[in-house]
Amino acid sequence: MSRRGAVLFALMGVIWGVPYLMIKVAVEGVSVPVLVFTRCALATLLLLPLALRGGQLAGVRPYWKPIAAFAFLEMILPWYLLADAEQDISSSMTGLLIAASPIITLLVARLLGSSERLGPARIAGLGIGLAGVAVLGAPELRGDNPVAILEVLLVAVSYAIAPQIAARKLQNVPSLPMTVACLIFATVVYAPPAVATWPATVPSGWVLAAIAGLSVICTAIGFLVFFALLREVGPSRALVFTYLNPAVAVAAGVLVLGEPLTVSMVAAFVLILAGSVLATRAGRAQRTVEAAEAAT
């Protein structure tokens, strides 16, 4: 990997590892609709000029139906559920549960008819990863926050389905205008409930800083860095940074918010990470072998 690729890789590990911390801070001062609306609206304002260059945004019009479906599953639904869940559970736990997305993605792909074979290594990875989710979520499901845990798991499922839509219906749509179109759609959807729940007083400086960071750094800049990383190292290598996100989420929650770091959280992190790596890397290795066999 080039030096530029390594820098972009590290940036993405942090940029998409800290949103859970910022969401946790923001929901203490504003409603969930206000948070999602401001996140989408500010990111739209920053990215829209770039998407308008050369008439790129107009080119997404024929794809508005799959874009609307993608926006719902990638932004509208999960960003609401995450914020709502973090009113009751820690940002660290949220980040760890979302780390199960690669495993759920594999299961969703199978349910949608993927012909890719599941070898012993991938099946083992699925089992290990799901065991990690059980270690982390089962005690909370039996405790005081079952709804919050289910909301985060639903986010993981939503994040698993959205790429399937992109791969099947949006493969010919440029990434930046598609992202801006999704953000515009989400902004419009959340405008009415945001107005209805707008805070009567100005939130604290910490809340405003969290909203700004979530909108500018984690959303607008995050997508730009992600696109640059895709161009630099390719899609398969680029997505490896998602293995860093839960570690960053836990570290941020513990160091900044003083959230507890328990033995079960550490064990769950190891299991989920190991399962994700084993399942996804085994799949890539299998495709390489199959391609070599086809070539001969």
Side-chain angles (χ1 to χ4, degrees), residues 248-272:
V248 172
V250 171
V254 172
L255 296 176
V256 179
L257 299 179
E259 295 176 347
L261 180 62
T262 64
V263 174
S264 63
M265 290 176 65
V266 174
F269 172 69
V270 172
L271 289 171
I272 293 172

Side-chain angles (χ1 to χ4, degrees), residues 9 13 33 54 88 95-96 123 131-132 159 183 203 215-216 220 225 228 245 290 293:
F9 181 89
D88 298 310
L96 285 177
I123 293 174
Y159 282 162
L183 287 168
S215 307
V216 177
V225 174
N245 295 156
E290 291 174 350
E293 290 174 348

Side-chain angles (χ1 to χ4, degrees), residues 66-67 69-70 73 112 161-171:
I67 285 177
F70 181 79
L73 292 169
L112 293 178
I161 298 175
Q164 303 297 323
I165 296 175
R168 295 166 184 253
K169 303 292 185 179
L170 300 171
Q171 65 269 29

